[in-house]
Short mmCIF file of all heavy atoms in Angstrom, two decimals:
data_model
loop_
_atom_site.label_atom_id
_atom_site.label_comp_id
_atom_site.label_asym_id
_atom_site.label_seq_id
_atom_site.Cartn_x
_atom_site.Cartn_y
_atom_site.Cartn_z
N TYR A 1005 -36.76 -5.29 -18.44
CA TYR A 1005 -36.65 -5.42 -19.89
C TYR A 1005 -36.65 -4.04 -20.53
O TYR A 1005 -37.50 -3.20 -20.21
CB TYR A 1005 -37.82 -6.26 -20.41
CG TYR A 1005 -37.66 -6.70 -21.83
CD1 TYR A 1005 -36.92 -7.83 -22.15
CD2 TYR A 1005 -38.26 -5.97 -22.86
CE1 TYR A 1005 -36.76 -8.24 -23.47
CE2 TYR A 1005 -38.10 -6.38 -24.19
CZ TYR A 1005 -37.36 -7.51 -24.48
OH TYR A 1005 -37.21 -7.91 -25.78
N ILE A 1006 -35.69 -3.81 -21.41
CA ILE A 1006 -35.60 -2.52 -22.12
C ILE A 1006 -36.13 -2.72 -23.53
O ILE A 1006 -35.74 -3.67 -24.20
CB ILE A 1006 -34.14 -2.03 -22.16
CG1 ILE A 1006 -33.59 -1.86 -20.74
CG2 ILE A 1006 -34.02 -0.73 -22.95
CD1 ILE A 1006 -32.11 -1.54 -20.69
N SER A 1007 -37.04 -1.85 -23.96
CA SER A 1007 -37.54 -2.00 -25.33
C SER A 1007 -37.77 -0.64 -25.97
O SER A 1007 -37.84 0.38 -25.29
CB SER A 1007 -38.85 -2.80 -25.33
OG SER A 1007 -39.86 -2.08 -24.68
N ALA A 1008 -37.89 -0.66 -27.30
CA ALA A 1008 -38.11 0.57 -28.05
C ALA A 1008 -39.42 0.49 -28.81
O ALA A 1008 -39.86 -0.60 -29.20
CB ALA A 1008 -36.97 0.80 -29.04
N MET A 1009 -40.06 1.63 -29.00
CA MET A 1009 -41.29 1.71 -29.78
C MET A 1009 -41.24 3.00 -30.60
O MET A 1009 -40.90 4.06 -30.08
CB MET A 1009 -42.48 1.73 -28.81
CG MET A 1009 -43.84 1.93 -29.45
SD MET A 1009 -45.14 1.74 -28.18
CE MET A 1009 -46.58 2.26 -29.12
N VAL A 1010 -41.57 2.86 -31.88
CA VAL A 1010 -41.67 4.02 -32.76
C VAL A 1010 -43.14 4.16 -33.14
O VAL A 1010 -43.79 3.17 -33.47
CB VAL A 1010 -40.79 3.84 -34.02
CG1 VAL A 1010 -41.09 4.91 -35.06
CG2 VAL A 1010 -39.31 3.87 -33.64
N ASN A 1011 -43.64 5.37 -33.05
CA ASN A 1011 -45.08 5.56 -33.21
C ASN A 1011 -45.37 6.81 -34.05
O ASN A 1011 -44.70 7.83 -33.90
CB ASN A 1011 -45.72 5.72 -31.82
CG ASN A 1011 -47.21 5.47 -31.82
OD1 ASN A 1011 -47.83 5.32 -32.87
ND2 ASN A 1011 -47.78 5.43 -30.63
N ASN A 1012 -46.37 6.72 -34.93
CA ASN A 1012 -46.83 7.89 -35.68
C ASN A 1012 -48.18 8.38 -35.16
O ASN A 1012 -48.92 9.04 -35.86
CB ASN A 1012 -46.90 7.58 -37.18
CG ASN A 1012 -47.93 6.50 -37.49
OD1 ASN A 1012 -48.66 6.06 -36.60
ND2 ASN A 1012 -48.00 6.10 -38.75
N GLY A 1013 -48.47 8.00 -33.93
CA GLY A 1013 -49.72 8.43 -33.31
C GLY A 1013 -50.82 7.38 -33.42
O GLY A 1013 -51.81 7.45 -32.71
N SER A 1014 -50.61 6.40 -34.29
CA SER A 1014 -51.68 5.42 -34.54
C SER A 1014 -51.64 4.25 -33.55
O SER A 1014 -52.64 3.55 -33.39
CB SER A 1014 -51.56 4.87 -35.97
OG SER A 1014 -50.42 4.05 -36.08
N LEU A 1015 -50.51 4.03 -32.92
CA LEU A 1015 -50.37 2.86 -32.05
C LEU A 1015 -50.58 3.20 -30.57
O LEU A 1015 -50.19 4.26 -30.12
CB LEU A 1015 -48.97 2.23 -32.21
CG LEU A 1015 -48.57 1.77 -33.61
CD1 LEU A 1015 -47.10 1.35 -33.62
CD2 LEU A 1015 -49.47 0.64 -34.09
N ALA A 1016 -51.19 2.25 -29.87
CA ALA A 1016 -51.36 2.39 -28.42
C ALA A 1016 -50.44 1.39 -27.72
O ALA A 1016 -50.23 0.28 -28.21
CB ALA A 1016 -52.81 2.12 -28.03
N TYR A 1017 -49.89 1.81 -26.61
CA TYR A 1017 -49.02 0.94 -25.82
C TYR A 1017 -49.89 0.09 -24.90
O TYR A 1017 -50.69 0.61 -24.14
CB TYR A 1017 -48.05 1.80 -25.00
CG TYR A 1017 -47.15 1.00 -24.09
CD1 TYR A 1017 -45.94 0.47 -24.56
CD2 TYR A 1017 -47.49 0.77 -22.75
CE1 TYR A 1017 -45.12 -0.26 -23.73
CE2 TYR A 1017 -46.67 0.04 -21.92
CZ TYR A 1017 -45.48 -0.48 -22.41
OH TYR A 1017 -44.66 -1.21 -21.58
N ASP A 1018 -49.71 -1.22 -24.99
CA ASP A 1018 -50.51 -2.13 -24.17
C ASP A 1018 -49.73 -2.52 -22.92
O ASP A 1018 -48.85 -3.38 -22.95
CB ASP A 1018 -50.87 -3.38 -24.99
CG ASP A 1018 -51.78 -4.33 -24.22
OD1 ASP A 1018 -52.04 -4.08 -23.02
OD2 ASP A 1018 -52.24 -5.32 -24.82
N HIS A 1019 -50.08 -1.88 -21.81
CA HIS A 1019 -49.37 -2.11 -20.56
C HIS A 1019 -49.49 -3.56 -20.09
O HIS A 1019 -48.55 -4.14 -19.55
CB HIS A 1019 -49.92 -1.19 -19.46
CG HIS A 1019 -48.87 -0.29 -18.91
ND1 HIS A 1019 -47.75 -0.75 -18.27
CD2 HIS A 1019 -48.76 1.06 -18.93
CE1 HIS A 1019 -47.00 0.27 -17.92
NE2 HIS A 1019 -47.58 1.38 -18.30
N SER A 1020 -50.68 -4.15 -20.31
CA SER A 1020 -50.90 -5.50 -19.79
C SER A 1020 -50.01 -6.52 -20.50
O SER A 1020 -49.80 -7.62 -20.00
CB SER A 1020 -52.37 -5.88 -19.94
OG SER A 1020 -52.70 -5.97 -21.31
N LYS A 1021 -49.49 -6.15 -21.67
CA LYS A 1021 -48.58 -7.04 -22.41
C LYS A 1021 -47.16 -6.47 -22.44
O LYS A 1021 -46.33 -6.90 -23.25
CB LYS A 1021 -49.08 -7.24 -23.84
CG LYS A 1021 -50.40 -7.96 -23.94
CD LYS A 1021 -50.23 -9.47 -23.73
CE LYS A 1021 -51.57 -10.17 -23.65
NZ LYS A 1021 -51.54 -11.31 -22.74
N ASP A 1022 -46.90 -5.49 -21.60
CA ASP A 1022 -45.57 -4.85 -21.56
C ASP A 1022 -45.15 -4.33 -22.94
O ASP A 1022 -43.96 -4.33 -23.27
CB ASP A 1022 -44.51 -5.81 -21.01
CG ASP A 1022 -44.88 -6.31 -19.62
OD1 ASP A 1022 -45.04 -5.47 -18.73
OD2 ASP A 1022 -45.00 -7.55 -19.44
N GLY A 1023 -46.14 -3.92 -23.72
CA GLY A 1023 -45.84 -3.34 -25.03
C GLY A 1023 -45.32 -4.31 -26.06
O GLY A 1023 -44.74 -3.90 -27.08
N ARG A 1024 -45.55 -5.58 -25.83
CA ARG A 1024 -44.98 -6.62 -26.69
C ARG A 1024 -45.32 -6.45 -28.16
O ARG A 1024 -44.49 -6.63 -29.04
CB ARG A 1024 -45.48 -7.98 -26.17
CG ARG A 1024 -44.92 -9.18 -26.89
CD ARG A 1024 -43.52 -9.45 -26.41
NE ARG A 1024 -42.95 -10.63 -27.03
CZ ARG A 1024 -42.68 -11.75 -26.37
NH1 ARG A 1024 -42.93 -11.83 -25.09
NH2 ARG A 1024 -42.13 -12.76 -26.99
N TRP A 1025 -46.58 -6.08 -28.45
CA TRP A 1025 -47.05 -6.07 -29.85
C TRP A 1025 -46.59 -4.84 -30.61
O TRP A 1025 -46.71 -4.79 -31.83
CB TRP A 1025 -48.58 -6.20 -29.91
CG TRP A 1025 -49.07 -7.30 -29.04
CD1 TRP A 1025 -50.02 -7.23 -28.08
CD2 TRP A 1025 -48.61 -8.66 -29.03
NE1 TRP A 1025 -50.16 -8.45 -27.47
CE2 TRP A 1025 -49.31 -9.34 -28.04
CE3 TRP A 1025 -47.64 -9.37 -29.77
CZ2 TRP A 1025 -49.11 -10.70 -27.74
CZ3 TRP A 1025 -47.43 -10.72 -29.49
CH2 TRP A 1025 -48.16 -11.37 -28.49
N THR A 1026 -46.12 -3.85 -29.92
CA THR A 1026 -45.66 -2.64 -30.61
C THR A 1026 -44.15 -2.47 -30.47
O THR A 1026 -43.61 -1.44 -30.86
CB THR A 1026 -46.36 -1.40 -30.04
OG1 THR A 1026 -46.26 -1.44 -28.61
CG2 THR A 1026 -47.82 -1.34 -30.44
N GLU A 1027 -43.51 -3.50 -29.97
CA GLU A 1027 -42.08 -3.38 -29.69
C GLU A 1027 -41.24 -3.53 -30.96
O GLU A 1027 -41.45 -4.42 -31.76
CB GLU A 1027 -41.71 -4.47 -28.68
CG GLU A 1027 -40.24 -4.60 -28.46
CD GLU A 1027 -39.91 -5.83 -27.61
OE1 GLU A 1027 -40.72 -6.18 -26.74
OE2 GLU A 1027 -38.86 -6.41 -27.86
N LEU A 1028 -40.28 -2.65 -31.08
CA LEU A 1028 -39.35 -2.71 -32.22
C LEU A 1028 -38.22 -3.69 -31.94
O LEU A 1028 -37.86 -4.51 -32.78
CB LEU A 1028 -38.80 -1.29 -32.45
CG LEU A 1028 -37.73 -1.09 -33.48
CD1 LEU A 1028 -38.21 -1.50 -34.86
CD2 LEU A 1028 -37.30 0.37 -33.48
N ALA A 1029 -37.66 -3.61 -30.75
CA ALA A 1029 -36.57 -4.50 -30.34
C ALA A 1029 -36.38 -4.31 -28.84
O ALA A 1029 -36.91 -3.35 -28.27
CB ALA A 1029 -35.29 -4.15 -31.07
N GLY A 1030 -35.64 -5.20 -28.21
CA GLY A 1030 -35.42 -5.05 -26.77
C GLY A 1030 -34.41 -6.03 -26.23
O GLY A 1030 -33.86 -6.86 -26.95
N CYS A 1031 -34.16 -5.90 -24.93
CA CYS A 1031 -33.22 -6.80 -24.27
C CYS A 1031 -33.49 -6.80 -22.76
O CYS A 1031 -34.09 -5.87 -22.22
CB CYS A 1031 -31.78 -6.41 -24.54
SG CYS A 1031 -31.22 -4.96 -23.64
N THR A 1032 -33.03 -7.84 -22.12
CA THR A 1032 -33.10 -7.93 -20.66
C THR A 1032 -31.87 -7.23 -20.08
O THR A 1032 -30.78 -7.35 -20.64
CB THR A 1032 -33.10 -9.41 -20.25
OG1 THR A 1032 -34.32 -9.99 -20.71
CG2 THR A 1032 -33.00 -9.57 -18.74
N ALA A 1033 -32.05 -6.50 -18.99
CA ALA A 1033 -30.89 -5.84 -18.36
C ALA A 1033 -31.16 -5.68 -16.86
O ALA A 1033 -32.25 -5.29 -16.47
CB ALA A 1033 -30.64 -4.48 -19.00
N ASP A 1034 -30.17 -5.98 -16.08
CA ASP A 1034 -30.30 -5.91 -14.63
C ASP A 1034 -30.07 -4.47 -14.16
O ASP A 1034 -28.95 -4.07 -13.88
CB ASP A 1034 -29.27 -6.86 -14.01
CG ASP A 1034 -29.72 -7.34 -12.64
OD1 ASP A 1034 -30.77 -6.85 -12.17
OD2 ASP A 1034 -29.03 -8.17 -12.05
N ILE A 1035 -31.15 -3.70 -14.11
CA ILE A 1035 -31.00 -2.25 -13.93
C ILE A 1035 -31.56 -1.74 -12.61
O ILE A 1035 -31.62 -0.55 -12.40
CB ILE A 1035 -31.68 -1.48 -15.09
CG1 ILE A 1035 -33.12 -1.98 -15.30
CG2 ILE A 1035 -30.88 -1.62 -16.37
CD1 ILE A 1035 -33.90 -1.19 -16.31
N ARG A 1036 -31.98 -2.65 -11.74
CA ARG A 1036 -32.63 -2.18 -10.52
C ARG A 1036 -31.83 -2.53 -9.27
O ARG A 1036 -31.22 -3.60 -9.21
CB ARG A 1036 -34.02 -2.80 -10.43
CG ARG A 1036 -34.83 -2.30 -9.26
CD ARG A 1036 -36.19 -2.90 -9.18
NE ARG A 1036 -36.85 -2.40 -7.99
CZ ARG A 1036 -36.82 -3.03 -6.82
NH1 ARG A 1036 -36.19 -4.17 -6.69
NH2 ARG A 1036 -37.42 -2.49 -5.77
N ASN A 1037 -31.87 -1.63 -8.30
CA ASN A 1037 -31.19 -1.84 -7.01
C ASN A 1037 -29.73 -2.26 -7.16
O ASN A 1037 -29.27 -3.19 -6.52
CB ASN A 1037 -31.95 -2.86 -6.17
CG ASN A 1037 -33.03 -2.19 -5.32
OD1 ASN A 1037 -33.16 -0.97 -5.33
ND2 ASN A 1037 -33.80 -2.98 -4.60
N GLN A 1038 -29.04 -1.55 -8.02
CA GLN A 1038 -27.60 -1.80 -8.18
C GLN A 1038 -26.84 -0.83 -7.28
O GLN A 1038 -27.27 0.30 -7.08
CB GLN A 1038 -27.18 -1.58 -9.64
CG GLN A 1038 -27.82 -2.54 -10.62
CD GLN A 1038 -27.26 -3.95 -10.53
OE1 GLN A 1038 -26.45 -4.25 -9.66
NE2 GLN A 1038 -27.71 -4.83 -11.41
#
Side-chain angles (χ1 to χ4, degrees):
Y1005 192 83
I1006 301 173
S1007 66
M1009 175 174 172
V1010 169
N1011 199 352
N1012 64 5
S1014 70
L1015 301 173
Y1017 177 87
D1018 184 353
H1019 240 298
S1020 66
K1021 295 283 173 214
D1022 303 302
R1024 183 78 178 248
W1025 313 127
T1026 49
E1027 171 189 327
L1028 175 60
C1031 75
T1032 293
D1034 206 355
I1035 51 174
R1036 185 179 177 267
N1037 272 357
Q1038 296 287 5

